[in-house]
Amino acid sequence: MKMILRAALLGTLLSCSQQALATAVDIGYQQPVKEIVAIVDAAPAPGAMLSPNGKLMLSTGFSALPDIADLAAPEYRLAGVRFNPANNGPSQPRYVSSLQLIELDTQQTKTIKGLPKDLKAVNLNFSPDSRYLAFIQLEDNEAQLWQVDLQKLRASRWSNIRLNAIWGGSLQWTADSKAIFAASIPAKRGAEPVQSKVPTGPVITEARGRTAPARTYQDLLKNKYDEALFSYYFTSQLVKVGLNNKVNTLGKPQLLRGAELSPDNNFILVSRIEQPFSYAVPVSRFAYTTEVWDASGKLQYQVVQQPVADNLPIAFDAVITGRRSVGWRPDQAATLYWAEAADGGDPANKVTVRDQLFQLAAPFNAEPEKLLDLSFRFSYLLAAADGSLLVWERWWQDRNEKVWYLDPAQQARVFWERSSEDRYNDPGSPLLTTAANGQRLLRVADGAIYLTGVGASPEGNRPFIDQRQLATGETRRLWRSEAPFYEFPFTLLPSGKLLTQREAPDLPPDFYLRDLSSGELTALTKTPHPMPHTQGISRELINYQRADGIPMSATLLLPAGYDKARDGALPTVIWAYPREFRSADAAGQVSDSPYRFNRISYWTPQFLATQGYAVLDNATMPIVGEGTQEPNDTFIEQLILNAEAAIAAGVERGVTDPNRVAIGGHSYGAFMTANLLAHSNLFKAGIARSGAYNRSLTPFGFQMEQRTLWDDPELYVRMSPFFHAEKIKTPILLIHGSDDNNAGTFPMQSERLYQAIKGNGGTTRLVMLPLESHGYRARESVLHMLWETTAWLDEFVKNAKVDTAE
């Protein structure tokens, strides 16, 4: 009887009639078949942290998806930040739920006693001497400071202070490992402000000719009550907590934006938010003051007072004027560094020098010293113990990256210069080491640094570790991952061995010690296969070309036991996300590996391989604009070329039935999906999750587009599937989180597209997931999403009525 009722429910809700459903219904949360449920409930892959001395590895475990009740916890949304007012912690955090310690010398696993019964740990930090581990435990009503004595293998709550972890809860050890700095809730904070039932007056915003464009932000402050709540919850007291549980307060309670100890621990770099607050931009653009305190909390030097940044050009290379990116040089006792725009912060200004990099040492009473003139925007720097620096600068518009090497005498030369989109020639990221005072420095040996990277190549990603001479730039490859494994080098240990994470299509990722001389491998962890019922599903990295010759790739998954001769061509789902490129060569580069563990995803349609579908996952969707042409000038035309090439790749292999193909994507992939259904007849159905479809609602740019609606109104109309809704006759399933916080993807975007398609006689279904943001986290929500997806595709793709007439 239950099966009959379920079939009747599906038939009623998903009937392929000429009339689209026009009424909202509440059917409760549904679940897909057990094979898909098992994929959702599989244990997530563990993570790892290495102690500063390189002798201990902390294995971190994570819980499966939370229940919808967890998402129903209290949540406030103020100034672009979502947080839990009950515990002053982040909203819906991903936390560590289990800890194990592994001694690398003996490969023995140690159990830590005394951990919270329901461990919800965030921001784990080793002490510089590797004796202790600190973390924040998120209880229902407070964020607690905890410590683990790694010699005694004993955890305990550290002091009874309540932390303010709205920002994530930054923790910073002192250099001697005897205390930690944190932000706490002020002792005399009092009760939360109460909103008056009677309005105090209208909310007024005004513009008088000052240019102030802004992209589409959500969760902004709206009124005086929001301001009062913001001040109440974001005010913190900076504290120093000793191992003996003694708590010292520094300064007064402030709207703290951040605090950073100088390497010698004699000063604190403090950034605080200033009033008046803005209703137009999130907290990241509020006015702030950055200053230096001494160790007792007294003001020593004001670095910068920055007004509210609500008038920046929308170009991605635009920055604020004045001092920005302020920090301590990790190789000096107490030396500040910062960047300043030399072009007014506006990339439209034609100048040779864009940014300048400065430094100033304590006692901060001299003139700042200029370190570098930069032709791009300052990005970040890394320092070595000998006083040398590597400085990164980047220019987004042309995808240029330049790295400078400053030797100890401050002589500068270009270390490398490249296109940031060129994955094949990415030199990698430098390995760091922890100094005795806890500062992270470049790892240098024999005048060389070590670089690790994923090693993108035409045959797929091949991770590597290189040694590169600082003086000459000469590079020597120490090791490279070899087939049939994907092995990533985490770091080079003091012993000279390499700590790696190794996997293969049938082997889950595990951590190993690799002897570079002998090649000997020693396993540190052994992870069981999280979803053994999927082991027969095949995964292959395929390469193909679109009509204009640009190389493309996708991951092809086929059902377990699939036999082409016996089973023939299959219904196929293509899942993709468009990406913009400034060169065709970069657009055609492969960015995956055929040797990764075949963990079947529920987030993309890989799970459908258990239901008889072929899946082309992560199908590349390059949108190329070279020279003076912008990528989006031919967005629709290139989307269609990409889709045609992906379908042809499956057909040529004999696995795809061209008459039974669906397209889908999330966010910008949903935008792609709606556009393909509006402008082509290639597909039988579409799945569009959390997308934006009307670009007039994001008038100051979207995704990587820097032109505004008023710069090119035709572009905005042409690229908006909402304005072409009358052409969307292919059935499209729209899914959206009802509390989406992503810029531009308001839930209204899906609601309005649904109304437009319905009003023009199309076939569509709108699913709004309660309490969900841009990505869906609750187990009930995810399972329901998969149920909806499977039912929609079964009806309109797998069981599609194909017209075979010639």
Side-chain angles (χ1 to χ4, degrees):
M1 176 64 90
K2 289 183 178 179
M3 292 296 292
I4 295 173
L5 289 174
R6 182 176 176 84
L9 177 64
L10 279 170
T12 300
L13 295 177
L14 300 176
S15 66
C16 185
S17 64
Q18 294 301 311
Q19 288 187 331
L21 290 172
T23 58
V25 293
D26 183 355
I27 61 172
Y29 288 106
Q30 302 296 313
Q31 289 193 5
V33 296
K34 63 181 182 179
E35 293 87 355
I36 299 176
V37 173
I39 291 173
V40 173
D41 290 338
M49 292 177 59
L50 196 66
S51 64
N53 63 9
K55 295 182 178 181
L56 301 172
M57 190 183 86
L58 191 68
S59 178
T60 54
F62 301 90
S63 298
L65 293 175
D67 294 331
I68 193 69
D70 293 323
L71 267 65
E75 181 183 72
Y76 283 178
R77 305 169 185 180
L78 298 171
V81 179
R82 295 186 176 187
F83 63 93
N84 184 338
N87 64 9
N88 266 79
S91 178
Q92 302 177 21
R94 186 171 189 257
Y95 49 79
V96 172
S97 58
S98 66
L99 293 175
Q100 281 193 321
L101 204 63
I102 300 173
E103 292 181 348
L104 296 183
D105 288 343
T106 64
Q107 294 89 56
Q108 289 187 340
T109 299
K110 305 288 186 179
T111 300
I112 299 171
K113 298 179 181 179
L115 288 167
K117 184 177 180 180
D118 185 14
L119 182 65
K120 295 182 178 180
V122 296
N123 207 348
L124 290 77
N125 280 269
F126 282 103
S127 61
D129 65 1
S130 300
R131 170 69 189 273
Y132 299 97
L133 176 78
F135 65 86
I136 296 174
Q137 165 70 6
L138 296 175
E139 295 290 337
D140 290 341
N141 62 344
E142 63 180 351
Q144 303 172 349
L145 178 64
W146 279 65
Q147 66 165 262
V148 179
D149 187 321
L150 296 173
Q151 287 186 3
K152 297 178 180 179
L153 297 174
R154 171 68 62 177
S156 60
R157 185 170 179 183
W158 188 358
S159 169
N160 291 320
I161 61 169
R162 295 184 302 150
L163 298 182
N164 193 338
I166 284 175
W167 295 103
S170 176
L171 300 176
Q172 188 169 179
W173 283 93
T174 56
D176 60 8
S177 300
K178 293 182 178 180
I180 204 164
F181 281 76
S184 70
I185 294 174
K188 299 180 180 180
R189 183 169 73 169
E192 175 187 299
V194 177
Q195 185 174 18
S196 172
K197 296 182 180 180
V198 180
T200 58
V203 176
I204 298 170
T205 56
E206 184 178 30
R208 296 205 176 197
R210 186 174 70 105
T211 302
R215 295 210 168 207
T216 315
Y217 300 115
Q218 301 201 48
D219 301 336
L220 301 179
L221 299 181
K222 298 181 293 295
N223 50 45
K224 287 293 183 182
Y225 177 63
D226 278 0
E227 290 192 50
L229 283 178
F230 179 85
S231 294
Y232 178 82
Y233 281 104
F234 282 75
T235 296
S236 300
Q237 173 67 62
L238 186 62
V239 294
K240 178 182 179 182
V241 186
L243 290 175
N244 58 3
N245 286 333
K246 181 179 179 181
V247 178
N248 291 324
T249 61
L250 292 94
K252 298 179 180 179
Q254 313 262 354
L255 283 164
L256 285 178
R257 196 171 183 243
E260 181 184 359
L261 280 172
S262 62
D264 64 4
N265 285 196
N266 290 329
F267 301 97
I268 310 168
L269 181 65
V270 176
S271 181
R272 66 172 187 270
I273 301 163
E274 300 282 12
Q275 296 191 37
F277 304 137
S278 173
Y279 291 8
V281 292
V283 65
S284 59
R285 291 196 175 192
F286 280 12
Y288 65 90
T289 295
T290 301
E291 55 197 18
V292 176
W293 298 353
D294 65 16
S296 66
K298 294 181 179 179
L299 177 65
Q300 299 297 306
Y301 178 66
Q302 186 176 94
V303 183
V304 63
Q305 281 188 307
Q306 180 63 42
V308 61
D310 63 352
N311 63 337
L312 292 182
I314 64 168
F316 290 106
D317 293 311
V319 295
I320 59 174
T321 57
R323 298 174 177 180
R324 70 177 203 281
S325 301
V326 184
W328 296 110
R329 278 191 58 160
D331 59 323
Q332 306 289 336
T335 297
L336 294 168
Y337 71 84
W338 65 81
E340 291 186 47
D343 60 357
D346 189 347
N349 294 329
K350 305 299 182 183
V351 297
T352 303
V353 176
R354 292 285 182 184
D355 268 1
Q356 294 178 316
L357 183 63
F358 294 90
Q359 69 176 15
L360 179 64
F364 318 110
N365 54 11
E367 285 296 314
E369 176 188 0
K370 184 169 70 173
L371 292 174
L372 273 177
D373 285 328
L374 304 174
S375 54
F376 307 143
R377 290 286 180 235
F378 171 75
S379 183
Y380 65 99
L381 63 77
L382 296 174
D386 66 355
S388 60
L389 295 175
L390 289 181
V391 179
W392 274 255
E393 57 170 319
R394 289 171 177 159
W395 194 247
W396 183 89
Q397 177 61 32
D398 298 323
R399 313 301 197 269
N400 286 329
E401 176 185 271
K402 187 186 296 184
V403 179
W404 292 86
Y405 170 58
L406 276 72
D407 64 24
Q410 305 294 1
Q411 298 297 311
R413 61 177 178 79
V414 176
F415 198 52
W416 74 65
E417 187 169 5
R418 58 182 290 270
S419 167
S420 60
E421 339 182 277
D422 184 3
R423 290 167 294 207
Y424 289 178
N425 292 298
D426 185 352
S429 301
L431 290 184
L432 303 181
T433 186
T434 303
N437 62 358
Q439 296 298 310
R440 298 289 284 166
L441 301 173
L442 281 167
R443 181 166 182 169
V444 180
D446 300 323
I449 61 171
Y450 298 93
L451 297 160
T452 62
V454 298
S457 70
E459 64 265 31
N461 292 345
R462 304 261 309 270
F464 66 87
I465 179 168
D466 285 351
Q467 187 182 56
R468 187 179 181 115
Q469 294 295 323
L470 288 169
T472 64
E474 181 182 349
T475 301
R476 180 169 68 95
R477 179 139 296 174
L478 302 180
W479 175 84
R480 188 187 189 197
S481 180
E482 299 290 343
F485 296 98
Y486 179 91
E487 187 172 357
F488 187 86
F490 264 64
T491 192
L492 194 61
L493 298 171
S495 64
K497 292 184 178 180
L498 202 59
L499 175 64
T500 72
Q501 189 176 41
R502 189 174 192 242
E503 60 191 274
D506 291 326
L507 295 174
D510 272 306
F511 291 95
Y512 290 82
L513 292 179
R514 171 176 285 277
D515 189 310
L516 289 177
S517 300
S518 66
E520 180 185 1
L521 277 173
T522 303
L524 297 174
T525 60
K526 187 171 180 56
T527 303
H529 199 295
M531 44 186 80
H533 68 290
T534 68
Q535 285 184 276
I537 294 174
S538 66
R539 178 193 298 261
E540 179 187 2
L541 178 63
I542 65 171
N543 298 287
Y544 50 97
Q545 286 189 346
R546 75 183 195 186
D548 60 1
I550 290 181
M552 300 175 65
S553 64
T555 300
L556 172 63
L557 292 97
L558 296 172
Y562 171 73
D563 182 277
K564 188 188 305 183
R566 181 191 66 214
D567 302 322
L570 301 175
T572 299
V573 182
I574 298 172
W575 195 260
Y577 188 96
R579 298 190 184 278
E580 295 88 343
F581 293 90
R582 297 299 297 176
S583 80
D585 288 343
Q589 292 183 350
V590 177
S591 60
D592 203 348
S593 169
Y595 306 119
R596 299 299 300 264
F597 172 56
N598 193 13
R599 184 186 180 100
I600 303 303
S601 170
Y602 61 78
W603 188 244
T604 67
Q606 294 182 8
F607 69 93
L608 289 167
T610 67
Q611 305 302 303
Y613 288 85
V615 179
L616 282 174
D617 190 30
N618 195 26
T620 52
M621 284 276 167
I623 309 296
V624 183
E626 295 185 300
T628 59
Q629 187 180 62
E630 292 293 328
N632 284 340
D633 291 346
T634 53
F635 180 81
I636 303 299
E637 296 84 349
Q638 293 194 63
L639 275 189
I640 294 172
L641 283 176
N642 294 334
E644 290 173 339
I647 295 171
V651 171
E652 289 171 5
R653 284 165 175 76
V655 300
T656 293
D657 179 350
N659 295 308
R660 293 187 297 162
V661 182
I663 183 69
H666 187 90
S667 193
Y668 208 53
F671 175 71
M672 166 206 72
T673 297
N675 265 310
L676 281 169
L677 299 191
H679 299 287
S680 77
N681 295 310
L682 298 169
F683 302 100
K684 284 294 182 182
I687 309 291
R689 299 192 326 225
S690 299
Y693 310 103
N694 182 349
R695 287 307 172 190
S696 71
L697 299 178
T698 56
F700 287 106
F702 56 89
Q703 197 67 5
M704 299 294 106
E705 180 55 61
Q706 300 181 95
R707 291 167 290 187
T708 72
L709 170 64
W710 298 275
D711 291 332
D712 195 339
E714 183 182 342
L715 172 75
Y716 274 66
V717 172
R718 185 171 69 249
M719 289 185 64
S720 295
F722 176 82
F723 292 112
H724 306 277
E726 80 284 0
K727 304 173 188 174
I728 301 178
K729 300 305 180 185
T730 302
I732 182 171
L733 174 64
L734 301 170
I735 303 176
H736 214 118
S738 63
D739 295 330
D740 194 332
N741 67 336
N742 186 55
T745 54
F746 298 99
M748 178 180 67
Q749 290 272 8
S750 286
E751 294 167 346
R752 293 296 179 264
L753 182 62
Y754 168 79
Q755 293 290 342
I757 296 172
K758 177 177 73 74
N760 281 284
T763 299
T764 184
R765 178 177 171 87
L766 174 62
V767 180
M768 302 298 295
L769 298 173
L771 303 177
E772 293 292 355
S773 187
H774 193 58
Y776 320 139
R777 296 201 62 237
R779 181 176 183 270
E780 292 89 340
S781 301
V782 170
L783 291 175
H784 188 89
M785 172 191 77
L786 303 180
W787 178 81
E788 294 276 2
T789 300
T790 305
W792 193 261
L793 295 175
D794 281 354
E795 179 174 3
F796 295 111
V797 180
K798 179 186 286 187
N799 301 316
K801 295 179 181 178
V802 179
D803 185 4
T804 58
E806 295 184 3

